[in-house]
Amino acid sequence: MDKSQAKDRIAKLRDLISEYRYEYHVNNRSIMSEAAADSLKHELTELEAEYPDLITPDSPTQRVAGQPLPQFKSVAHQRPMLSLNDVFNVDELTAWRQRVQKLAPDARLEYFVDTKMDGLACSLIYQDGLLTQAVTRGNGAVGEDVTTNVRTIDAVPLRLRADPKAADFLKGYTEVRGEIVMFKKDFATLNKARAKADLPQFANPRNLAAGSIRQLDPKLAAARPLNFVAWELLRLDMSEVPTQAFAYKILRAIGLNANDHAKVLTDIEAVMQFSEFWQERRHKLPFNTDGLVIKINDRKLYDQLGVVGKAPRAAVAYKYPAEQSTTKVKDIFISIGRTGAATPVAILEPVVVAGSTVQMATLHNESEVLRKDIRVGDTVIIQKAGDIIPEVVQPLKDLRTGKEKPFVMPKQCPECGTELIRARRAGSSAESGVLWEAVWRCPNTKCPARVHNQIGHFASKPALDIDGLGEKNVLALLDAKLIKDAADLYSLTKEQLLELDRFAETSATKLVNAIQAKKQPLLNHFIYALGIRHVGAQTAVDLAKSFGSLQDLANATTSELQQVEGVGEVVAESIVAWFADEYHAELLAKFAKAGVIPQAVNLAVSEAGTLNGKSFVITGSLDKIEREDAAEKIRQLGGTFQTSVGKTTTYVVVGENPGASKITKAEKLGTQQIDEAALLKILGGYNG
């Protein structure tokens, strides 16, 4: 075969292989077997090897992974990749429609509704039909260049498909946004193969898809069965894309998969019917989903409605109720927390809920177990509250055999044998009637479980933030009897750590240095790190400002403590009781002997701070600054960091995936909503 014949053959092979890709990934139809397609790819590879000057960037052979990258480059999005606010019921959905209608009173609203895919959002940039760049969502304004990895995904056309109906979209700048997903069947096949090879199982398709794309070695991405499903089409002149429905039509024409069950609906009732239909059938979809994406269909109106925080006003994500499943309660044990709280926890037969395996679920307290009548051996309905925390909804009493065992709260702590107690609720008395807290507690401050959890809390980021001192390392140090409490951390040596399997020269040196670097913590961090019951991060700040030193706080009376804003009778009594405890007195003496000297909060700075009198609430995740760091910076500048929106809240900072309840309350109260960029500007910039 001469070069002229080879050129003709190569062109035909490329066209046929591209058509196979289009039919398979877009139309869900196979025009030939996978083996036949592989044979054609093999022939194309050999011809291109013989005539390398005939290779083009859009050839199917160019999906092969290249060399590992040193790092991903940051790329600014031409238009921000916004996240969506969540709604959870028809009332919240109706409230959203009313807000939109108020802003566009004369508009005849149409809703474009599609299932929400659980994957990694990604933008594909085509120039004159050729794929030139792929960028992750990142923080919405700036993402990571993952072009090399995305080119390995068969569902992503390297060159847009020529179609007479969409000829204009093969000219100039075309941007396609969508979701990189791993289909459930491919995920199951992959995990089955790993099980046979005695390798650990992957947790869920979403995390695996995201992790695969963010691998620096493209060969790892190429080895994973990834897919791409498009949901947005952008042009420099958006008048070329009049509606969301039109965008889907063009996306399919130019060679991309866009969900064919997406619909244009004219009222909220129809949207809810669509939601109920797919909620019942979501397990039949090839990908995991937790709800719908609802957009105003008219693109011009969509853009005119603008943005609030990091979310467009013209779109919301409707979240399905937490996914439920049934399983059996194998046993119930008691978990002891750092404050001594004795929490019943159910051990379950493993079951997959909302994409992950659940084996345990909190039962909250004795009263809750008795109220629901949950017994060992029961078949129970479980769900993930907010699709995160497993909880037992109810037992299925009709399935009982008579062998189920009622739960009995133990009298003693399972860790140390100390008798469990319940405290009197604030405000109750012998005269008015004594009311007891629902939570039983272990009062032994030396209880091994309490000590373990307390040291973990002491080292956590909001407290002293000791890098390298995670839960497993704390447990290892306790098991080796190198420490008995948090104060003992300061006497650890590198030589002691090297005796443990978990540490090598570098990690041992780093941990010792990290601990020693925290010998002069700010007073508010140290107070919070002590783990005094009812004393959160903000209360610790208020106490540090009011008393100035740990000694003055230790000597304070309940009446003096109650003069501090936010400190009531319960908190004051808890603080006094903590400092009165002999074990805690010994602990503080050990800290002092080790040279740990908490530093007073600089009142002069905070009192005259630029944020004095201003309060902040953060909802959703931030990209450039950790929540705890933002809270600390706000406090340093004299502001207040709150956990819930109230009348005194000045700003609600809206991050990615914000909570619908906080957004709704902010809108109801007229509280100003700002994004992360605005927060950083208020804070005077942030360098980490």
Side-chain angles (χ1 to χ4, degrees):
M1 185 183 298
D2 61 24
K3 188 171 182 177
S4 175
Q5 292 171 321
K7 183 177 181 180
D8 182 63
R9 179 68 175 174
I10 285 172
K12 289 180 178 178
L13 285 170
R14 286 176 186 161
D15 288 345
L16 184 54
I17 294 168
S18 294
E19 191 64 12
Y20 166 79
R21 185 211 64 81
Y22 171 75
E23 291 291 344
Y24 184 86
H25 289 286
V26 179
N27 293 334
N28 199 28
R29 188 170 71 89
S30 203
I31 59 176
M32 68 180 80
S33 68
E34 186 174 350
D38 287 342
S39 178
L40 294 178
K41 290 176 189 176
H42 180 68
E43 181 186 351
L44 177 60
T45 301
E46 289 189 328
L47 283 172
E48 288 182 341
E50 188 174 352
Y51 300 100
D53 59 322
L54 297 179
I55 298 174
T56 58
D58 59 326
S59 172
T61 63
Q62 298 309 294
R63 292 190 186 279
V64 295
Q67 293 300 310
L69 303 173
Q71 62 183 24
F72 292 116
K73 295 179 182 178
S74 294
V75 178
H77 293 293
Q78 196 206 50
R79 290 169 61 113
M81 287 190 76
L82 303 171
S83 53
L84 301 181
N85 288 331
D86 295 336
V87 295
F88 294 89
N89 53 53
V90 67
D91 291 337
E92 292 182 359
L93 184 60
T94 301
W96 165 73
R97 181 193 65 77
Q98 290 171 345
R99 291 195 297 272
V100 171
Q101 195 76 75
K102 187 176 180 180
L103 292 169
D106 299 324
R108 180 177 173 272
L109 299 181
E110 287 185 335
Y111 310 96
F112 186 74
V113 189
D114 193 5
T115 48
K116 183 175 177 291
M117 290 165 285
D118 193 14
L120 176 73
C122 189
S123 167
L124 309 178
I125 311 298
Y126 290 87
Q127 193 65 43
D128 294 328
L130 186 68
L131 178 67
T132 59
Q133 198 168 50
V135 186
T136 63
R137 181 199 297 275
N139 66 0
V142 177
E144 292 178 313
D145 187 332
V146 290
T147 309
T148 306
N149 288 349
V150 169
R151 284 177 63 87
T152 68
I153 302 174
D154 275 338
V156 173
L158 301 179
R159 179 177 289 279
L160 296 177
R161 182 173 181 269
D163 187 301
K165 299 190 297 291
D168 289 343
F169 292 85
L170 273 67
K171 301 172 187 175
Y173 178 95
T174 297
E175 182 176 353
V176 175
R177 292 179 175 179
E179 212 80 3
I180 294 174
V181 296
M182 184 174 291
F183 287 168
K184 290 184 285 190
K185 63 179 179 61
D186 296 325
F187 179 76
T189 300
L190 186 61
N191 259 349
K192 189 175 180 181
R194 289 179 67 84
K196 285 185 178 179
D198 200 26
L199 294 171
Q201 303 285 284
F202 291 120
N204 58 65
R206 194 272 171 201
N207 289 353
L208 182 55
S212 299
I213 286 299
R214 299 197 75 257
Q215 293 284 344
L216 290 173
D217 187 351
K219 291 184 177 63
L220 294 174
R224 305 275 168 79
L226 300 174
N227 230 296
F228 182 86
V229 183
W231 40 253
E232 188 166 47
L233 177 66
L234 300 174
R235 293 278 286 176
L236 295 180
D237 180 2
M238 282 304 294
S239 66
E240 296 177 35
V241 189
T243 66
Q244 311 284 359
F246 177 83
Y248 272 46
K249 181 180 177 181
I250 296 298
L251 285 167
R252 296 188 193 100
I254 59 178
L256 290 125
N257 181 13
N259 289 329
D260 57 10
H261 53 257
K263 277 189 174 183
V264 177
L265 302 171
T266 57
D267 54 57
I268 294 300
E269 291 72 20
V271 172
M272 290 306 300
Q273 289 174 4
F274 184 92
S275 168
E276 290 165 5
F277 178 88
W278 282 111
Q279 185 179 335
E280 294 173 1
R281 294 164 178 79
R282 59 174 158 164
H283 295 295
K284 296 181 180 179
L285 290 167
F287 46 77
N288 283 334
T289 178
D290 62 353
L292 306 177
V293 173
I294 305 165
K295 301 178 180 179
I296 298 300
N297 190 38
D298 186 317
R299 276 303 312 226
K300 184 177 180 180
L301 176 58
Y302 185 100
D303 290 336
Q304 287 175 348
L305 287 168
V307 175
V308 56
K310 276 193 175 183
R313 287 191 175 92
V316 288
Y318 180 90
K319 291 296 189 75
Y320 295 136
E323 186 176 351
Q324 296 186 337
S325 188
T326 59
T327 186
K328 277 197 169 185
V329 177
K330 295 166 64 177
D331 201 358
I332 297 175
F333 73 95
I334 299 299
S335 173
I336 305 296
R338 65 178 174 83
T339 63
T343 304
V345 178
I347 300 177
L348 308 170
E349 289 185 354
V351 62
V352 175
V353 183
S356 60
T357 301
V358 173
Q359 300 184 69
M360 290 192 293
T362 178
L363 300 176
H364 302 291
N365 54 58
E366 179 192 27
S367 299
E368 188 72 358
V369 180
L370 297 177
R371 183 182 70 79
K372 292 182 178 179
D373 190 19
I374 299 169
R375 306 181 182 186
V376 175
D378 266 340
T379 297
V380 293
I381 296 173
I382 67 166
Q383 70 180 16
K384 281 189 174 180
D387 277 357
I388 297 174
I389 305 167
E391 65 177 4
V392 176
V393 179
Q394 67 180 79
L396 298 175
K397 297 180 182 180
D398 290 345
L399 297 180
R400 285 178 175 167
T401 64
K403 295 181 179 180
E404 293 77 15
K405 298 178 182 177
F407 170 73
V408 178
M409 191 73 187
K411 301 293 184 184
Q412 287 82 33
C413 170
E415 300 289 341
C416 67
T418 303
E419 185 174 348
L420 299 178
I421 61 171
R422 280 196 298 177
R424 174 179 61 84
R425 284 187 186 175
S428 66
S429 63
E431 295 76 21
S432 61
V434 177
L435 299 174
W436 302 98
E437 288 187 346
V439 178
W440 288 88
R441 296 181 186 275
C442 172
N444 179 14
T445 51
K446 296 182 181 180
C447 172
R450 288 190 63 175
V451 170
H452 171 226
N453 287 310
Q454 169 55 37
I455 296 173
H457 171 76
F458 183 85
S460 67
K461 187 172 182 62
L464 261 63
D465 189 18
I466 300 176
D467 190 32
L469 197 57
E471 181 182 355
K472 290 182 179 179
N473 280 347
V474 171
L475 199 55
L477 294 173
L478 287 168
D479 288 344
K481 297 186 175 11
L482 293 179
I483 60 173
K484 292 181 181 178
D485 51 47
D488 286 337
L489 292 170
Y490 293 92
S491 62
L492 286 173
T493 65
K494 182 180 71 173
E495 290 70 28
Q496 287 176 313
L497 295 180
L498 289 174
E499 294 293 321
L500 305 180
D501 292 337
R502 296 186 61 82
F503 291 93
E505 182 79 20
T506 300
S507 57
T509 301
K510 282 185 176 180
L511 180 55
V512 170
N513 290 342
I515 294 170
Q516 293 301 314
K518 302 296 181 177
K519 275 194 169 183
Q520 293 186 326
L522 284 174
L523 179 58
N524 59 296
H525 283 292
F526 191 73
I527 294 171
Y528 178 70
L530 293 176
I532 303 170
R533 191 176 166 214
H534 300 308
V535 175
Q538 184 61 52
T539 301
V541 171
D542 297 335
L543 292 169
K545 287 181 179 180
S546 297
F547 293 96
S549 72
L550 191 66
Q551 190 59 52
D552 286 347
L553 175 62
N555 294 334
T557 64
T558 54
S559 59
E560 289 171 337
L561 286 164
Q562 287 182 70
Q563 300 304 309
V564 179
E565 184 179 355
V567 176
E569 179 186 357
V570 173
V571 180
E573 288 180 353
S574 178
I575 295 169
V576 170
W578 194 94
F579 283 104
D581 184 87
E582 184 179 347
Y583 171 72
H584 292 147
E586 293 173 357
L587 181 66
L588 292 175
K590 286 178 70 175
F591 276 123
K593 187 176 180 181
V596 179
I597 306 172
Q599 303 300 298
V601 175
N602 191 338
L603 281 174
V605 174
S606 59
E607 292 289 342
T610 56
L611 302 184
N612 199 26
K614 293 181 171 61
S615 300
F616 294 74
V617 170
I618 296 176
T619 177
S621 58
L622 303 180
D623 178 66
K624 295 185 179 302
I625 184 172
E626 295 285 344
R627 182 185 295 260
E628 292 84 3
D629 293 336
E632 181 65 21
K633 185 71 173 174
I634 288 166
R635 292 172 185 132
Q636 287 175 3
L637 295 174
T640 301
F641 182 76
Q642 301 174 325
T643 56
S644 59
V645 181
K647 292 180 179 178
T648 61
T649 305
T650 312
Y651 299 107
V652 172
V653 183
V654 182
E656 191 166 355
N657 299 318
S661 60
K662 288 181 179 177
I663 296 295
T664 301
K665 192 163 186 182
E667 291 179 347
K668 182 179 179 181
L669 294 172
T671 309
Q672 185 175 351
Q673 298 180 42
I674 60 174
D675 60 14
E676 183 179 3
L679 171 66
L680 294 176
K681 188 174 181 180
I682 290 172
L683 299 181
Y686 180 75
N687 299 316

